[in-house]
Amino acid sequence: MKILKKTGILLAILLLATTVLGLFLGKQQYLIENKVDRPVKKVFQLFTNHDRLSEWLSEVKSFEVIIETPEKIGSEYKLMVDNDGNMVELIEKLSNYKENKLIEIEYKSGWMHKYNHYSFSESEKGTKIVARYTIEGTNPLAKSLFLLFTKSFQKIDATNLERFKVFAEKQAIYSEPTNELEVVN
């Protein structure tokens, strides 16, 4: 009986400590970088092509436009995502967009707000993608849970960027025609 009582007290202390930490450390942030052996323009076009999203994010089961603005900023979309057999609705909103340079996305779903900032730049072999992620819970319990599962989110996002890299590098590169004549000896 003493063992059960001590175990219960220990679990209560751990839960309380995690909840308190979650309140003070509400946002979890991490950075992931990846290089894609394709030109920036092609990488950005593939990354922002909603019609091909499920080719590298197989968990996305549907993608629906809610609002789409000509300048992209403020556009909203609804995604249905398979999370280990449970369908989860994500609302995606573009908060910043500069063609071939950056895209910032805010996701909302239940207890979670997630902010993804992707920047695209030329690298020696193609494109460098720098992804900054911020995730936060909308209540103290969620904040505590996300504190404990940050490494899991980081692993998922790293896997998704790697899957994008593989997808993008499978795509053919077409060179644009020029008006210059090539002299062949």
Side-chain angles (χ1 to χ4, degrees):
M1 196 58 133
K2 284 186 175 186
I3 292 174
L4 287 176
K5 187 175 181 180
K6 287 181 182 182
T7 303
I9 291 170
L10 182 62
L11 287 174
I13 290 171
L14 285 174
L15 181 63
L16 181 62
T18 303
T19 303
V20 169
L21 280 175
L23 289 172
F24 293 107
L25 304 173
K27 290 183 181 180
Q28 306 309 307
Q29 299 178 327
Y30 50 94
L31 178 115
I32 301 171
E33 295 184 14
N34 208 334
K35 292 184 180 175
V36 181
D37 187 18
R38 292 290 181 267
V40 171
K41 187 175 180 178
K42 179 71 172 174
V43 169
F44 193 84
Q45 180 266 328
L46 288 168
F47 195 84
T48 58
N49 186 340
H50 299 128
D51 294 332
R52 301 193 69 189
L53 187 64
S54 63
E55 290 182 54
W56 59 278
L57 282 178
S58 58
E59 297 84 6
V60 175
K61 299 305 176 191
S62 70
F63 184 92
E64 178 184 324
V65 175
I66 297 173
I67 299 168
E68 198 160 55
T69 65
E71 65 279 353
K72 304 290 187 205
I73 297 171
S75 295
E76 291 186 26
Y77 309 95
K78 180 173 115 177
L79 289 80
M80 294 304 292
V81 178
D82 183 352
N83 182 17
D84 293 328
N86 296 317
M87 292 305 285
V88 176
E89 178 181 288
L90 291 175
I91 301 299
E92 173 184 296
K93 183 176 183 178
L94 297 182
S95 54
N96 201 352
Y97 182 93
K98 293 181 184 163
E99 191 166 344
N100 300 324
K101 300 246 183 255
L102 74 87
I103 186 166
E104 291 179 1
I105 307 168
E106 176 184 347
Y107 293 97
K108 292 183 180 181
S109 178
W111 293 5
M112 177 191 76
H113 284 168
K114 188 167 188 259
Y115 306 89
N116 298 1
H117 173 100
Y118 302 97
S119 62
F120 301 80
S121 60
E122 287 185 35
S123 73
E124 54 195 58
K125 287 190 79 181
T127 303
K128 178 179 178 182
I129 301 173
V130 177
R132 290 178 177 83
Y133 301 93
T134 302
I135 187 164
E136 63 182 329
T138 59
N139 62 52
L141 178 60
K143 289 178 182 187
S144 302
L145 289 174
F146 293 160
L147 176 66
L148 296 174
F149 293 106
T150 301
K151 289 289 184 195
S152 296
F153 286 115
Q154 193 171 2
K155 183 178 176 185
I156 290 167
D157 287 325
T159 299
N160 289 342
L161 266 184
E162 185 61 30
R163 288 176 14 193
F164 174 75
K165 171 189 172 69
V166 170
F167 162 74
E169 289 179 351
K170 286 182 183 177
Q171 308 308 307
I173 299 177
Y174 299 103
S175 58
E176 295 184 21
T178 65
N179 291 332
E180 297 178 19
L181 294 174
E182 185 177 323
V183 178
V184 180
N185 290 329

